[in-house]
Amino acid sequence: MSLELTGVIPPLVTPFTANGDIDEAAYRKVIRFNLDKKVHGVCPGGSSGEGHTLTIDEFKRLLEITAEEVAGAVPIVAGIISNSTRDAINRAKAISHLPIAALQVTPVHYLFKPDEDATYRHFKALTEAVDIPVIIYNVVPWNYLNPAQMIRLMQDLPGVQGIKQSQGDLKLMADLLLGVPAGCKVYSAVDALLYSSFALGAHGTIAATPAALPGVCVNLWNTVQAGDHVKALEMHKSMLAFWNAIVADNLPANLKTSITLQGCNAGLPRAPMPPTSDAQLARIKAALDDVLRFDI
């Protein structure tokens, strides 16, 4: 089992209607919007896609639509957000008939934190139950996996093929990249520092900013790979200003607003998440006007 997945993989937003149903037509347009920006993969069901609100049937349907629209053009990473080993396995099995390149899986995220051995058993059971590579989404503050724990998981469990590193700790990112086992990948979700992550050697990104700015992020990735750090630093400054404008407890709503402002209706957030406020909208418009000069 080997995960050949690099570059910009946006976690797709999930458009909802006013009554909270998935807007399938709008979701198909979101997928096409990303493909038009030459992304390297797509990730439905993640936190930017409000995957924590999806039933297993909705999750399955979302992945089926994704497979139809992508039609093999780019790899698909399925985001699994679950509070039990049983549910995580059931969600993975529900999409095992689809061409899924990898599973992005959060550690258990409710109040009760499993210890390191229990977390190890959780991912061991999952990787033994399905033959799909797992990327651990290291994002849960009270169940945060340290570098030694993540490297142990990648070394001991062949099915764990990567880590998506979140939060703002670039030292942790650097330690991971230093110790990552051969063949495994480290993806950045440090939205404020995507340029720095790419410069350090991250294998790609699965993060909120690519969900809102897929073309800009692809341009940044290509610019860093080409070694043009003067341009990349200029891009970083504009992208950081954009991130500061959208980051909030209703981040998925603000991602949808940003996408809609680019001409692709991304729908509404699912209640109880509030929509973008008027004050947020003004900040987003100003930052978006600047950062889109780097769009492809």
Side-chain angles (χ1 to χ4, degrees), residues 71-114:
V74 297
I76 299 170
V77 178
I80 293 180
I81 303 174
S82 177
N83 268 317
S84 75
T85 305
R86 176 187 175 91
D87 183 68
I89 290 172
N90 286 341
R91 285 176 181 264
K93 286 184 174 180
I95 58 170
S96 61
H97 62 295
L98 299 172
I100 306 300
L103 305 172
Q104 173 192 277
V105 185
T106 56
V108 172
H109 57 282
Y110 190 58
L111 177 64
F112 307 110
K113 175 184 175 180

Side-chain angles (χ1 to χ4, degrees), residues 125-209:
L126 175 60
T127 56
E128 289 177 347
V130 293
D131 190 26
I132 307 173
V134 167
I135 299 167
I136 297 176
Y137 182 10
N138 194 30
V139 68
V140 182
W142 51 91
N143 194 6
Y144 207 45
L145 312 188
N146 61 50
Q149 188 177 2
M150 290 186 283
I151 290 169
R152 175 196 176 199
L153 286 163
M154 287 186 282
Q155 286 177 334
D156 291 0
L157 303 179
V160 176
Q161 288 286 302
I163 300 291
K164 172 180 166 179
Q165 179 53 36
S166 188
Q167 309 297 329
D169 190 343
L170 267 189
K171 174 62 164 59
L172 196 153
M173 170 76 69
D175 286 341
L176 269 177
L177 288 165
L178 193 64
V180 65
C184 293
K185 304 291 193 296
V186 178
Y187 305 95
S188 177
V190 186
D191 281 273
L193 299 167
L194 290 183
Y195 162 56
S196 306
S197 301
F198 294 168
L200 285 170
H203 299 95
T205 177
I206 311 171
T209 301

Side-chain angles (χ1 to χ4, degrees), residues 7-267:
V8 176
I9 303 105
L12 302 176
V13 299
T14 307
F16 294 106
T17 63
N19 65 2
D21 293 330
I22 295 175
D23 186 336
E24 294 191 4
Y27 179 63
R28 291 179 186 274
K29 291 178 182 177
V30 167
I31 297 171
R32 293 195 290 272
F33 171 74
N34 281 272
L35 294 177
D36 288 345
K37 300 297 183 180
K38 310 301 182 186
V39 298
H40 305 105
V42 293
C43 178
S47 49
S48 295
E50 298 166 83
H52 58 288
T53 74
L54 300 174
T55 68
I56 193 167
D57 288 337
E58 289 174 329
F59 171 74
K60 178 183 176 183
R61 178 61 183 152
L62 211 62
L63 269 296
E64 289 173 342
I65 294 171
T66 307
E68 291 172 12
E69 289 295 327
V70 167
V74 297
I76 299 170
V77 178
I80 293 180
I81 303 174
S82 177
N83 268 317
S84 75
T85 305
R86 176 187 175 91
D87 183 68
I89 290 172
N90 286 341
R91 285 176 181 264
K93 286 184 174 180
I95 58 170
S96 61
H97 62 295
L98 299 172
I100 306 300
L103 305 172
Q104 173 192 277
V105 185
T106 56
V108 172
H109 57 282
Y110 190 58
L111 177 64
F112 307 110
K113 175 184 175 180
D115 61 22
E116 287 195 14
D117 287 339
T119 295
Y120 181 94
R121 291 193 297 271
H122 173 73
F123 285 106
K124 183 175 187 292
L126 175 60
T127 56
E128 289 177 347
V130 293
D131 190 26
I132 307 173
V134 167
I135 299 167
I136 297 176
Y137 182 10
N138 194 30
V139 68
V140 182
W142 51 91
N143 194 6
Y144 207 45
L145 312 188
N146 61 50
Q149 188 177 2
M150 290 186 283
I151 290 169
R152 175 196 176 199
L153 286 163
M154 287 186 282
Q155 286 177 334
D156 291 0
L157 303 179
V160 176
Q161 288 286 302
I163 300 291
K164 172 180 166 179
Q165 179 53 36
S166 188
Q167 309 297 329
D169 190 343
L170 267 189
K171 174 62 164 59
L172 196 153
M173 170 76 69
D175 286 341
L176 269 177
L177 288 165
L178 193 64
V180 65
C184 293
K185 304 291 193 296
V186 178
Y187 305 95
S188 177
V190 186
D191 281 273
L193 299 167
L194 290 183
Y195 162 56
S196 306
S197 301
F198 294 168
L200 285 170
H203 299 95
T205 177
I206 311 171
T209 301
L213 302 173
V216 175
C217 291
V218 169
N219 192 2
L220 177 67
W221 173 261
N222 292 340
T223 299
V224 175
Q225 302 312 304
D228 187 349
H229 291 277
V230 172
K231 178 183 176 183
L233 180 58
E234 182 185 2
M235 295 180 70
H236 157 75
K237 293 174 182 177
S238 185
M239 293 173 70
L240 177 56
F242 175 77
W243 173 247
N244 290 340
I246 66 169
V247 64
D249 287 337
N250 64 336
L251 175 61
N254 294 337
L255 297 176
K256 291 176 179 181
T257 296
S258 302
I259 295 166
T260 299
L261 288 171
Q262 294 173 71
C264 176
N265 179 18

